[in-house]
């Protein structure tokens, strides 16, 4: 097996599977330009804020975003889908001028992983902040007084 941190060894089978995956892709990947990352980040922040979802950290990278959220019902898939949809419809540069259709910016599946304990929360928080090293736009509640006040309860209730 493997994941993004420890990719599997390249074998004839894995190379064939990669080629097959590329052939069945319905669209080319969309790469978020560095100047667009803050715009997308602010759209995501506003979406989470308007839905009263406490957010502790956010990184918008070349292909995706990472967020540390406090979701009480443990159902991140719907919330992340709504946030991705909000960005898709608000972010004008993803409209293809040739076809007047929206380009798909996000993959269909989003991955929400529950935080196990405080140590895991701190590790996830630092992981998100570290995306600045690879050119990601990074936001933290610690550096934003306007959001920090709204997050005081989330932090007191077991957040960071």
């Amino acid at each position: 097996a493997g994941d993004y941190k420890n990719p599997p060894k390249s074998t004839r089978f894995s190379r064939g599977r990669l080629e097959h995956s590329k052939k069945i892709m319905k669209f080319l990947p969309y790469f978020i330009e560095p100047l667009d990352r803050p715009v997308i980040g602010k759209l995501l922040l506003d979406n989470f804020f308007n839905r009263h979802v406490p957010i502790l950290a956010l990184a918008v990278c070349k292909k995706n975003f990472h967020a540390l959220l406090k979701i009480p019902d443990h159902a991140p898939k719907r919330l992340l889908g709504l946030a991705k949809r909000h960005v898709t419809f608000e972010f004008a540069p993803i409209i293809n001028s040739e076809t007047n259709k929206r380009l798909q910016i996000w993959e269909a599946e989003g991955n929400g992983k529950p935080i196990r304990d405080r140590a895991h929360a701190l590790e996830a928080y630092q992981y998100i902040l570290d995306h600045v090293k690879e050119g990601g736009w990074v936001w933290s509640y610690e550096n934003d007084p306007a959001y920090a006040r709204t997050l005081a309860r989330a932090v007191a209730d077991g957040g960071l």
Side-chain angles (χ1 to χ4, degrees), residues 122-136:
L122 292 170
E123 184 180 309
Y125 182 76
Q126 193 57 53
Y127 170 78
I128 292 169
L129 297 184
D130 284 346
H131 280 81
V132 74
K133 295 174 188 172
E134 57 189 58

Side-chain angles (χ1 to χ4, degrees), residues 10-140:
S10 180
T11 65
R12 190 169 62 104
F13 174 75
S14 68
R15 287 188 300 274
R17 186 171 179 173
L18 176 62
E19 289 305 313
H20 174 71
S21 295
K22 287 180 181 177
K23 286 179 187 174
I24 63 172
M25 283 180 61
K26 295 180 182 164
F27 58 91
L28 293 173
Y30 181 84
F31 296 111
I32 302 169
E33 297 294 329
L35 291 175
D36 294 334
R37 294 173 195 170
V39 175
I40 290 174
K42 288 173 186 158
L43 285 169
L44 288 167
L45 281 175
D46 289 343
N47 184 268
F48 295 133
F49 182 76
N50 291 335
R51 294 183 186 284
H52 307 286
V53 176
I55 178 167
L56 301 174
L58 175 68
V60 178
C61 307
K62 183 177 180 178
K63 296 187 220 174
N64 58 11
F65 71 91
H66 302 273
L68 184 56
L69 307 166
K70 182 163 184 178
I71 304 172
D73 60 3
H74 304 291
K77 194 169 191 162
R78 177 163 166 67
L79 182 73
L80 294 174
L82 291 169
K84 292 191 302 188
R85 180 182 207 143
H86 175 72
V87 170
T88 299
F89 284 97
E90 294 293 325
F91 187 60
I94 66 167
I95 294 179
N96 184 334
S97 58
E98 295 173 11
T99 64
N100 205 26
K101 291 184 179 178
R102 293 187 187 279
L103 299 173
Q104 187 157 347
I105 189 170
W106 311 111
E107 66 182 49
E109 290 294 318
N111 227 4
K113 297 179 183 176
I115 298 295
R116 296 181 305 270
D117 53 28
R118 184 171 173 79
H120 184 213
L122 292 170
E123 184 180 309
Y125 182 76
Q126 193 57 53
Y127 170 78
I128 292 169
L129 297 184
D130 284 346
H131 280 81
V132 74
K133 295 174 188 172
E134 57 189 58
W137 176 85
V138 175
W139 175 91
S140 164

